[in-house]
Amino acid sequence: MCGIVGYVGSRPVTPILLDGLGKLEYRGYDSAGVAVWNGDRIEVEKAKGRLSVLRENTCGGVHPVGCIGIGHTRWATHGKPSDINSHPQTSGTGRTAVVHNGIIENYYELRQYLISQGVQFVSDTDTEVVAQLFEYYYNGDLLATATRVVGVLEGSYALGILNADHPDTMVALRRDAPLLVGVGEGENFIASDVAAILKYTRDVYYIDDKEIALVRKQGVEVYDQYGRKVDKELRHVDWDVQAAEKGGYEHFFLKEIMEQPEAVRATISPRIKNGRVELEIPLSDEDIRKFDKIYIAACGSAYYVGVAAGYLLEELLRVPTTVQLASEFRYQNPIVDEKTLVIIISQSGETADSRAALREAKSRGATTLAVVNVVGSSIAREADMSLYTWAGPEISVATTKAYSTQLAALYLLAIKMADARRSITDERYAELVRAVEALPTLIERALGIKEQVQQLAAKWFSAEHVFFIGRNTDYAVTLEGALKLKELSYTMSEAYAGGELKHGPISLIEDGTPVMAVMTGARLFDKTLSNVKEVLARGASIAAIVGESARDISTEADCILRVPDCEPLFSASLSVIPLQFLAYYIASLKGCDIDKPRNLAKSVTVE
Ligand code: G6P
């Protein structure tokens, strides 16, 4: 998705903008640009394509020359990727320049109105409407103009604005799209993602919806939508800069796979004290006992974490648990009330549909709990309580360590809730705590499967489609495995619950069709094995992920991938590892852009 970075200070701005945009590349984009006050006018450089094109056009950041500017990476929504549609967009006079993340939903009406007033448009973007509108309303006062603009824009936006009459000020405003102000010494920043400015400062103000920030070299002022001054709390971000660098790995995706033991340890360890799960969320045992229903809503891999957690919560709590895609939940008139716990899972904390689902749940009186990675993100701030996953920055568009830490956080939550409801015995509680504590070490051992999966990838990489089957938690993990393979290697891949095979998908199995069976659960091992035999009889080439103590199935499977045995309810944490490697190695062999797959974005902040 789009990225914003802006700077005001004493240093040459263009290299800082290019550097910041480089840190946002991982989010996915199709064009990039900068606007800089060059002492005389606002100079814009922008181009379709990778940041390297912009770097070339600006001679590596030598020009435009100035000490205040805004930059953008665009992921097209309104208007195809092109030089003209790239941001910054300017007003007709060129005296106002705007970068924008999000979608202006009433752009068409505004555009028609401005055209009727004689304004001429050059791009197809909704963003140009903001630049033209700002100029149209401009009355010499930046704040007054910004409040007027906020009053009429509908939709989602994070905006960075420069105006030639005020060459010392960046205007930043937002609604439903992330934006923060970075505070330095004698210099200040704006960014849609803290990764863009982490190198320069860790002190930030998170701008809230409909707030307007005036950012100057000497300081930052924040106002509400009516122009009243707001006191903001300066927050310190303690993410490690190194964590956002590749550190010798060829790809962030591989680096982040290998970081999983540590990330999961960071999520689990501080929350187990003397054999007890202690979570920092304000959820009393009494609150927990009140719930008669749980909903989980999320998107993408976070939704698949939800599918695994759904099995776990129902099993341990005996409370009806529904797992729903956030994009469906928000429009389905969900049966949610004061006795419902709604869990929103999101790495970024900014996914538009997940955020809307959260609001929907809140409006119906539910207790909302967010499982989030990015501290200070919109979902984290809006939910009644947040359980952070402490995975550190995840740069690869396709998730690995965020997925694993989300699972771990939900295991802890489920154990705590089951204990509060007395739906498990003390012995089972102690057993589950030990099982969760063992996970980081087991994940570390599971990583040892890398080379074996690499060999499998060499056999399967030219396959047109790959099937994944499993049951219960094993099924949940196949959903993630199939998604990873699609995302990274553009291979058609589908996950089916083992029992569903005969209801259609088996008709697609022919000689050599690759089928990955995940069968770590002892209880349903034989059931899935029957499904394996059914596809084997139709010529499928089988690989199976099993527990290390599972019996030999070499007559059925060509490739047996053994992962450490663990508590069956937590098995997704281990069986996902070979699936991540499979996607990685198949994508490598196919020469795909692993960290930034085509058309995908890290954080989907528009609906
Ligand atoms: C995108 C990412 C996925 C992620 C999903 C939900 O599709 O590529 O990796 O699972 O968004 O994002 P969230 O930030 O809400 O977890």
Side-chain angles (χ1 to χ4, degrees):
M1 290 271 117
C2 308
I4 290 177
V5 63
Y7 171 83
V8 54
S10 309
R11 295 193 259 178
V13 65
T14 306
I16 294 177
L17 296 181
L18 291 175
D19 178 62
L21 293 178
K23 299 287 184 303
L24 299 180
E25 272 193 296
Y26 77 95
R27 300 173 62 91
Y29 70 106
D30 47 57
S31 38
V34 294
V36 169
W37 171 255
N38 67 9
D40 176 40
R41 64 187 173 88
I42 295 174
E43 194 177 333
V44 175
E45 271 296 345
K46 55 185 187 171
K48 179 186 162 186
R50 290 290 183 202
L51 207 50
S52 51
V53 181
L54 184 66
R55 279 205 191 95
E56 216 166 281
N57 294 356
T58 58
C59 302
V62 172
H63 68 86
V65 178
C67 295
I68 179 169
I70 48 180
H72 193 258
T73 44
R74 174 174 188 251
W75 188 84
T77 58
H78 291 57
K80 64 178 197 293
S82 69
D83 290 352
I84 285 190
N85 288 338
S86 306
H87 300 197
Q89 289 288 321
T90 55
S91 57
T93 60
R95 295 189 65 76
T96 299
V98 172
V99 289
H100 166 220
N101 292 357
I103 292 177
I104 305 298
E105 284 169 3
N106 59 340
Y107 89 99
Y108 183 76
E109 293 86 324
L110 291 171
R111 186 178 160 115
Q112 292 309 101
Y113 172 74
L114 289 168
I115 289 172
S116 76
Q117 299 300 302
V119 175
Q120 286 179 3
F121 283 82
V122 294
S123 81
D124 308 318
T125 65
D126 50 340
T127 307
E128 188 184 354
V129 171
V130 182
Q132 302 280 19
L133 189 72
F134 195 94
E135 183 104 344
Y136 181 74
Y137 282 161
Y138 181 65
N139 61 0
D141 181 333
L142 275 184
L143 179 62
T145 309
T147 54
R148 240 185 127 185
V149 169
V150 169
V152 297
L153 292 185
E154 286 170 18
S156 60
Y157 49 82
L159 295 164
I161 304 175
L162 282 188
N163 179 275
D165 282 357
H166 304 266
D168 62 339
T169 310
M170 277 186 292
V171 185
L173 40 120
R174 70 158 255 173
R175 178 182 168 187
D176 289 349
L179 193 64
L180 52 88
V181 174
V183 178
E185 279 188 21
E187 57 186 11
N188 291 305
F189 305 80
I190 61 170
S192 54
D193 181 331
V194 72
I197 58 168
L198 216 48
K199 188 165 148 189
Y200 309 101
T201 181
R202 288 159 177 283
D203 294 322
V204 302
Y205 293 119
Y206 291 107
I207 304 302
D208 280 306
D209 275 353
K210 297 198 176 179
E211 284 181 349
I212 300 158
L214 300 185
V215 184
R216 303 187 179 94
K217 182 177 160 181
Q218 305 79 6
V220 179
E221 290 160 11
V222 183
Y223 299 87
D224 71 10
Q225 59 180 309
Y226 307 108
R228 294 175 302 211
K229 205 147 184 210
V230 180
D231 276 334
K232 301 290 290 184
E233 194 189 331
L234 197 61
R235 309 276 281 266
H236 189 75
V237 179
D238 53 14
W239 273 5
D240 176 9
V241 187
Q242 297 298 322
E245 310 282 342
K246 273 192 202 150
Y249 284 93
E250 202 177 332
H251 298 102
F252 280 110
F253 187 81
L254 182 59
K255 174 177 179 250
E256 289 163 2
I257 290 178
M258 304 309 275
E259 282 173 352
Q260 287 177 110
E262 269 324 298
V264 170
R265 191 168 283 127
T267 300
I268 292 173
S269 294
R271 289 166 169 150
I272 299 183
K273 294 183 189 120
N274 304 319
R276 305 286 309 165
V277 174
E278 288 183 19
L279 303 182
E280 64 281 16
I281 48 175
L283 196 60
S284 69
D285 287 1
E286 204 180 316
D287 293 334
I288 292 172
R289 286 194 283 269
K290 153 192 107 174
F291 301 129
D292 63 7
K293 197 173 2 160
I294 300 174
Y295 255 106
I296 301 179
C299 303
S301 294
Y303 168 71
Y304 295 144
V305 168
V307 175
Y311 288 110
L312 169 77
L313 288 164
E314 275 203 349
E315 175 66 29
L316 293 182
L317 273 64
R318 311 310 299 155
V319 174
T321 304
T322 308
V323 187
Q324 182 55 290
L325 292 162
S327 53
E328 290 297 309
F329 179 92
R330 64 184 291 190
Y331 294 122
Q332 78 181 54
N333 193 8
I335 306 175
V336 163
D337 58 24
E338 292 76 13
K339 286 184 168 177
T340 315
L341 172 67
V342 176
I343 302 173
I344 304 290
I345 309 173
S346 175
Q347 187 284 129
S348 62
E350 301 293 349
T351 303
D353 283 321
S354 304
R355 206 170 158 207
L358 169 64
R359 288 181 177 168
E360 188 62 38
K362 277 186 92 166
S363 73
R364 288 162 192 254
T367 300
T368 55
L369 187 159
V371 175
V372 179
N373 192 38
V374 179
V375 176
S377 57
S378 303
I379 290 175
R381 285 180 293 143
E382 284 171 29
D384 295 327
M385 60 198 84
S386 296
L387 188 57
Y388 285 108
T389 50
W390 297 331
E394 190 180 61
I395 306 298
S396 157
V397 166
T399 181
T400 50
K401 63 176 179 171
Y403 170 92
S404 289
T405 54
Q406 286 163 353
L407 280 176
L410 282 151
Y411 300 157
L412 294 172
L413 181 69
I415 298 171
K416 181 186 164 61
M417 289 181 72
D419 182 49
R421 296 179 74 93
R422 306 303 301 153
S423 54
I424 52 171
T425 61
D426 290 345
E427 292 69 42
R428 181 71 171 132
Y429 178 88
E431 186 180 78
L432 290 168
V433 170
R434 279 196 300 277
V436 92
E437 267 184 311
L439 280 175
T441 311
L442 296 180
I443 296 173
E444 212 159 332
R445 273 181 48 210
L447 293 173
I449 204 136
K450 187 161 158 258
E451 275 75 34
Q452 210 193 333
V453 181
Q454 197 171 2
Q455 286 165 18
L456 176 67
K459 277 198 348 211
W460 279 10
F461 86 95
S462 56
E464 271 174 28
H465 48 239
V466 177
F467 288 91
F468 292 74
I469 55 169
R471 287 169 184 257
N472 284 197
T473 306
D474 285 336
Y475 165 58
V477 88
T478 61
L479 291 165
E480 172 63 5
L483 180 67
K484 285 281 91 75
L485 190 59
K486 276 185 206 116
E487 286 180 305
L488 260 67
S489 74
Y490 319 138
T491 306
M492 253 312 285
S493 46
E494 285 304 328
Y496 286 97
E500 274 296 293
L501 262 185
K502 286 199 276 293
H503 299 288
I506 202 161
S507 62
L508 295 167
I509 304 290
E510 46 188 21
D511 238 8
T513 306
V515 176
M516 170 65 82
V518 181
M519 38 202 297
T520 62
R523 191 166 63 91
L524 298 170
F525 186 89
D526 288 325
K527 297 283 173 199
T528 309
L529 191 60
S530 302
N531 302 128
V532 165
K533 287 181 177 164
E534 285 158 11
V535 288
L536 185 66
R538 286 151 183 90
S541 156
I542 317 272
I545 298 175
V546 300
E548 59 196 351
S549 61
R551 72 165 189 271
D552 182 44
I553 50 165
S554 47
T555 45
E556 286 87 5
D558 302 330
C559 169
I560 301 169
L561 301 164
R562 291 193 183 268
V563 292
D565 288 327
C566 75
E567 158 61 46
L569 290 171
F570 304 158
S571 64
S573 295
L574 302 177
S575 48
V576 76
I577 304 287
L579 299 178
Q580 294 168 340
F581 281 133
L582 183 69
Y584 178 72
Y585 285 116
I586 291 188
S588 298
L589 289 166
K590 289 175 89 169
C592 301
D593 189 350
I594 290 179
D595 286 332
K596 298 187 286 286
R598 69 182 178 212
N599 304 338
L600 297 185
K602 180 76 186 152
S603 159
V604 182
T605 49
V606 294
E607 190 177 351

